[in-house]
């Protein structure tokens, strides 16, 4: 049985508006961004200290007799998706606040091998062990491509760059998705400046957010594939996102597609420790390339990637390790906010 996302569509969503204004639909991409340079061993961006959000409600969906995996193996469950999209609409950084408009990006997921069908996700919600029912706040179930494309902090892709699996308290689970590089190609290029940036948000410990690599895309072909990059930067683990962006801290659960290997990510697999919260970093485009240079987007990759600007173009190159362990376990939130135009007070 196939499950499709009931979002697109001619249903009238119910909007919940906090005091902050702009509401964003599923396709909305906004963004702030920051980063560290491993080459210079210094931070080249800024931690995000708070966010504002807007919530839109779509129809809820209930799935019955969903097979569990790992921690939940051997049982079937009811999995309810509440229909919410909670989008980031604003942020603050040290020294001021920022409002922004954005240019959306198209996401490309680059794997090695390209045929690896395993997919991983996390959702915010609760579990009733008596009724074997998961209640997630987010709209869903979401495809992997949507998880990487949506501005929604209630769900996201889990352990994005882990190649050989991982474990929780010594218990292994199917944590290998073979993703080597994520490309966020803007709908139109921008000129690098201190007023335009990219954001990275992650679910994790405030003092233990995972590391990642980033490089600006400086040209693309007619199909939107990167053809050149700016300098490569590595953001070290535990150096960013130190201000928790949620209070109270939510509970999350890990899902995969183990029981339906090429289908949607609907199989409950793990209870995520209850101390993980969103953190964020803002990377301004003029920190990635020279001011005024055209930027077509950016790519993210694991912190153990050893590529040059040329070899980064092909994920088949050996500079993309195939044995990336938990150091590639970044859990992105609202991954695709595009290029953000900052107006700092």
């Amino acid at each position: 049985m196939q499950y499709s996302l009931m979002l697109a569509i001619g249903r009238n969503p119910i909007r919940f508006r906090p005091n902050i204004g702009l509401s964003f639909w599923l396709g909305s991409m906004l963004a702030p961004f920051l980063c560290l340079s491993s080459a210079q061993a210094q931070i080249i961006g800024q931690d995000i200290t708070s966010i504002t959000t807007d919530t839109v409600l779509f129809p809820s969906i209930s799935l019955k007799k969903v097979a569990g995996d790992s921690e939940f193996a051997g049982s079937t469950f009811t999995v309810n998706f509440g229909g919410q999209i909670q989008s980031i609409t604003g942020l603050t950084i040290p020294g001021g606040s920022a409002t922004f408009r954005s240019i959306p990006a198209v996401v490309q997921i680059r794997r090695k091998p390209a045929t690896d069908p395993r997919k991983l996700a996390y959702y915010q919600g609760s579990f009733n062990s008596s009724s074997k029912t998961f209640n997630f706040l987010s709209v869903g179930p979401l495809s992997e491509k949507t998880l990487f494309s949506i501005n929604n902090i209630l769900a996201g892709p889990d352990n994005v760059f882990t190649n050989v699996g991982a474990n929780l308290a010594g218990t292994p689970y199917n944590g290998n998705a073979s993703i080597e590089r994520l490309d966020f190609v803007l709908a139109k290029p921008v000129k690098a400046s201190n007023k335009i940036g990219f954001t990275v948000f992650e679910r994790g410990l405030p003092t233990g957010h995972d590391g990642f690599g980033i490089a600006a895309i400086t040209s693309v072909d007619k199909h939107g594939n990167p053809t050149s990059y700016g300098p490569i930067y590595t953001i070290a683990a535990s150096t960013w996102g130190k201000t928790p962006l949620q209070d109270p801290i939510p509970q999350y659960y890990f899902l995969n597609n183990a029981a339906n290997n090429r289908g949607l990510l609907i199989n409950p697999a793990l209870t995520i420790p209850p101390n993980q919260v969103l953190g964020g970093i803002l990377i301004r485009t003029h920190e990635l390339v020279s001011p005024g240079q055209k930027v077509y987007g950016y790519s993210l990759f694991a912190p153990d990637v050893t590529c040059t600007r040329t070899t980064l173009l092909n994920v088949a190159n050996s500079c993309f390790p195939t044995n990336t362990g938990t150091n590639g376990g970044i859990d992105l939130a609202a991954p695709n906010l595009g290029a953000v135009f900052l107006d700092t007070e």
Side-chain angles (χ1 to χ4, degrees):
M1 182 176 181
Q2 293 184 338
Y3 302 100
S4 60
L5 176 61
M6 297 167 59
L7 296 182
I9 55 191
R11 292 178 171 82
N12 295 319
I14 303 170
R15 291 176 174 273
F16 294 99
R17 296 177 180 269
N19 291 332
I20 42 232
L22 311 174
S23 60
F24 287 78
W25 301 84
L26 173 65
S28 296
M29 311 297 171
L30 45 108
F33 310 31
L34 78 112
C35 180
L36 306 169
S37 165
S38 62
Q40 300 177 3
Q42 66 181 22
I43 296 176
I44 64 167
Q46 290 179 287
D47 266 13
I48 295 167
T49 55
S50 70
I51 56 173
T52 55
T53 61
D54 187 42
T55 300
V56 179
L57 184 61
F58 290 89
S60 61
I61 293 176
S62 182
L63 309 181
K64 309 294 185 182
K65 297 183 179 180
V66 177
D69 186 42
S70 297
E71 176 187 338
F72 300 106
S75 296
T76 60
F77 301 88
T78 297
V79 181
N80 297 322
F81 296 90
Q84 295 185 34
I85 297 176
Q86 190 170 337
S87 300
I88 297 172
T89 59
L91 62 87
T92 61
I93 50 179
S97 62
T99 58
F100 45 81
R101 56 190 174 89
S102 65
I103 295 177
V106 174
V107 184
Q108 293 295 335
I109 304 165
R110 313 287 184 177
R111 281 184 160 84
K112 181 172 65 174
T115 55
D116 194 327
R118 288 167 287 190
K119 298 174 175 63
L120 317 172
Y122 67 86
Y123 283 85
Q124 180 180 328
S126 62
F127 174 57
N128 186 320
S129 58
S130 298
S131 62
K132 295 186 177 180
T133 300
F134 289 89
N135 293 298
F136 299 130
L137 298 177
S138 175
V139 69
L142 299 172
S143 69
E144 181 186 62
K145 189 68 175 280
T146 301
L147 286 165
F148 279 112
S149 300
I150 194 173
N151 176 7
N152 180 23
I153 65 173
L154 300 176
D158 200 278
N159 285 339
V160 172
F161 298 117
T162 301
N163 295 129
V164 295
N167 66 78
L168 183 66
T171 301
Y173 66 93
N174 190 8
N176 174 8
S178 298
I179 297 174
E180 297 290 352
R181 197 184 78 211
L182 295 172
D183 300 335
F184 298 87
V185 179
L186 300 174
K188 61 179 180 179
V190 298
K191 290 186 178 180
S193 77
N194 68 342
K195 294 290 188 180
I196 305 173
F198 306 121
T199 56
V200 177
F201 292 93
E202 197 223 11
R203 187 213 81 231
L205 296 174
T207 56
H209 286 292
D210 291 296
F212 62 94
I214 186 171
I217 300 170
T218 53
S219 64
V220 295
D221 64 20
K222 64 181 181 180
H223 302 294
N225 299 307
T227 54
S228 65
Y229 283 104
I232 295 169
Y233 296 94
T234 300
I235 292 71
S238 305
T239 61
W240 63 282
K242 294 188 176 182
T243 301
L245 299 178
Q246 295 163 297
D247 185 22
I249 296 176
Q251 177 62 59
Y252 296 96
Y253 295 87
F254 173 93
L255 277 65
N256 62 22
N257 65 333
N260 182 15
N261 215 23
R262 294 188 178 275
L264 288 174
L265 301 73
I266 59 175
N267 305 111
L270 286 175
T271 303
I272 293 172
N275 55 358
Q276 298 196 10
V277 66
L278 298 188
I281 188 170
L282 169 72
I283 304 163
R284 299 172 193 262
T285 48
H286 82 299
E287 297 175 304
L288 297 174
V289 295
S290 300
Q293 184 173 357
K294 272 190 176 182
V295 175
Y296 291 79
Y298 65 101
S299 292
L300 299 179
F301 35 90
D304 61 356
V305 167
T306 58
C307 298
T308 66
R309 292 157 69 167
T310 300
T311 56
L312 187 67
L313 291 167
N314 186 355
V315 298
N317 286 322
S318 60
C319 58
F320 288 94
T322 56
N323 62 345
T324 303
T326 54
N327 61 327
I330 191 168
D331 308 312
L332 295 174
N336 182 10
L337 302 187
V340 174
F341 290 72
L342 299 165
D343 180 17
T344 306
E345 299 174 0

